[in-house]
Amino acid sequence: MTWEELWSRFAAAQHLAPSTLRGYQRDLELFLRYWDGQIATPKELRSHHLHEYYRLQKRQVSLATAGQRMRSVLILLGWAERTELLLLNPGAAMKIPKPNRPIQPVFTPDQVQSLLAQASQGRGFSGLRDRALMELLYGTGMRAGEVVALNVEDIDLSDSSLQILVGKGSCRRIPFGVAVG
């Protein structure tokens, strides 16, 4: 089985967001490009290939990026072993530490008021729209991508809630309606 065949089967079998699949594919392509044809099939891969690549990545990019690139390859290999497409996973014993992420600072009430005031400076529709978006983002904790993906039919005014898609296509309801400013 070739790398392309393995990737095609993995992508078809997984219920992952398109952006997640693109990230995994990019990371696999970087890994294979580094080896420049020396590992023609997944069966030729050995643990020393994985360790060498990870060491190089840690020298070239941030620890978080190196870890993510390596985890993408390991996820594919783990899946291939579980589905018996690979008899042995050369990365099974490899542990990639997740970097500590600092706690993000919280806006002070004055900062929130300043953001809302800035959003309200526009005239007419654009000012109302910007203020509503800032209220929605801050008041619900939604991500910008979730707000951008909202459609009119996702809004239920009768119970002041929004329905948003999360993760692998499941839905979550979020209440809204109380002004934050």
Side-chain angles (χ1 to χ4, degrees):
M1 173 177 299
T2 67
W3 286 103
E4 291 80 17
E5 291 168 334
L6 179 62
W7 172 256
S8 293
R9 288 186 181 193
F10 173 80
Q14 301 301 301
H15 301 287
L16 298 171
S19 59
T20 301
L21 282 173
R22 282 192 303 273
Y24 286 173
Q25 185 175 28
R26 179 198 61 235
D27 293 341
L28 178 62
E29 288 169 356
L30 286 170
F31 176 76
L32 294 174
R33 195 175 311 133
Y34 172 75
W35 288 107
D36 193 27
Q38 295 176 45
I39 309 170
T41 68
K43 290 180 181 179
E44 296 173 18
L45 181 65
R46 300 292 178 260
S47 64
H48 70 87
H49 296 120
L50 297 167
H51 288 283
E52 179 181 327
Y53 179 74
Y54 184 49
R55 276 192 301 275
L56 173 79
Q57 288 298 304
K58 289 191 298 185
R59 286 194 308 267
Q60 291 183 340
V61 296
S62 73
L63 190 57
T65 300
Q68 179 54 52
R69 288 178 178 173
M70 201 66 243
R71 273 190 292 282
S72 295
V73 175
L74 295 177
I75 286 167
L76 175 65
L77 296 173
W79 174 84
E81 182 183 41
R82 285 190 306 281
T83 57
E84 299 179 356
L85 295 172
L86 272 182
L87 296 178
L88 180 65
N89 176 358
M94 195 169 185
K95 303 292 183 221
I96 307 299
K98 286 194 173 183
N100 293 330
R101 293 185 184 208
I103 295 174
Q104 295 299 315
V106 178
F107 288 122
T108 66
D110 287 342
Q111 289 171 322
V112 172
Q113 291 302 322
S114 177
L115 283 170
L116 292 172
Q118 289 290 321
S120 299
Q121 285 186 348
R123 300 209 186 282
F125 174 77
S126 65
L128 292 172
R129 178 205 58 210
D130 293 352
R131 172 75 184 222
L133 286 171
M134 291 304 292
E135 292 264 1
L136 189 61
L137 286 164
Y138 185 75
T140 64
M142 290 174 69
R143 296 179 175 108
E146 293 170 336
V147 172
V148 169
L150 278 177
N151 295 308
V152 172
E153 55 270 10
D154 299 330
I155 303 168
D156 185 346
L157 295 175
S158 67
D159 72 351
S160 297
S161 69
L162 303 166
Q163 181 172 300
I164 63 168
L165 290 176
V166 292
K168 301 174 186 174
S170 59
C171 293
R172 180 171 60 132
R173 294 199 80 65
I174 296 181
F176 72 92
V178 178
V180 294

